[in-house]
Amino acid sequence: MPTPALRCTAFAGIHRIASGELRHVALKAKQVFDSEPGQPILVFEDASGRVVELPLELPASELLRTLNATPTESEVAVPAPARGPGRPRLGVVAREITLLPRHWDWLNAQPGGASVTLRRLVEDARKVTADGDRLRVAQEAAYRFMHALGGNLPEYEDATRALFAGNFARFEEVLARWPEDVREHASLLAADAFVH
């Protein structure tokens, strides 16, 4: 279950009903769920555009309790790692990677050894690809939202093509024919997809 402070937006059909921290959005979604039976309610994580599954059939107090619940040991999918290599207090985690012998030879010949060199290479690559990563994350978030809520809206495919082509004018042109709340949220999620 996501954390209660997660930023989310809820829709009842094509109408935005709440936006903010999950605990507040969940209560509003529950309110609409109870007052308008049969109305489809979708809650989206703002950062990723992913649908957040909420047990809206539960009473509000129980719904909030599930959001604030800490998973028990049996519910946790990943067992706690045994102490081993790495520096856990520093956040360093040991994992296995597979390289060719010539790669290991080169890494071991670098000042500081293989681990230091790999960390430096990863940090350098992260700096170089930061803009591309931000663009990709925005495209994926907007696409997830658009697919879930706008898949049956006019020219959905054109909007998707414009999103991934970086064609802001065409994206806005197509979205202009979409319901206001859906259009605004899709544009918000896609904002970084058009910044170059």
Side-chain angles (χ1 to χ4, degrees):
M1 183 61 67
T3 62
L6 183 71
R7 303 288 304 176
C8 296
T9 301
F11 281 81
I14 58 170
H15 301 286
R16 182 177 37 228
I17 55 172
S19 193
E21 290 185 356
L22 178 58
R23 64 178 144 243
H24 303 298
V25 171
L27 285 176
K28 183 62 179 175
K30 171 65 176 159
Q31 194 176 43
V32 173
F33 178 83
D34 289 345
S35 67
E36 299 178 35
Q39 175 71 272
I41 308 287
L42 288 175
V43 178
F44 297 92
E45 183 182 336
D46 288 343
S48 70
R50 286 187 170 87
V51 173
V52 177
E53 298 291 337
L54 294 176
L56 296 175
E57 66 283 351
L58 296 176
S61 59
E62 209 170 314
L63 173 62
L64 285 178
R65 198 173 12 262
T66 63
L67 291 177
N68 292 317
T70 311
T72 63
E73 284 185 32
S74 62
E75 294 173 327
V76 177
V78 179
R83 272 199 77 110
R87 295 179 177 182
R89 288 189 185 144
L90 299 176
V92 177
V93 178
R95 298 237 174 108
E96 182 178 330
I97 63 167
T98 306
L99 298 173
L100 294 171
R102 68 176 180 268
H103 298 146
W104 284 115
D105 293 342
W106 181 83
L107 283 170
N108 289 329
Q110 301 305 306
S115 292
V116 171
T117 303
L118 284 172
R119 283 194 294 272
R120 188 172 17 92
L121 288 170
V122 168
E123 288 303 319
D124 290 347
R126 288 182 65 210
K127 290 175 190 171
V128 169
T129 63
D131 289 340
D133 290 346
R134 189 172 58 250
L135 181 137
R136 180 184 45 77
V137 167
Q139 285 175 332
E140 290 173 359
Y143 172 76
R144 282 186 198 102
F145 169 75
M146 290 166 49
H147 180 72
L149 211 55
N152 292 326
L153 293 175
E155 300 181 82
Y156 161 76
E157 292 85 6
D158 287 344
T160 302
R161 280 192 286 279
L163 171 67
F164 286 103
N167 186 341
F168 179 72
R170 179 67 180 144
F171 184 76
E172 289 294 310
E173 177 186 332
V174 172
L175 261 59
R177 293 185 277 287
W178 286 19
E180 181 180 6
D181 291 344
V182 177
R183 177 181 63 244
E184 286 178 0
H185 197 65
S187 293
L188 175 72
L189 292 175
D192 281 344
F194 299 109
V195 177
H196 296 287

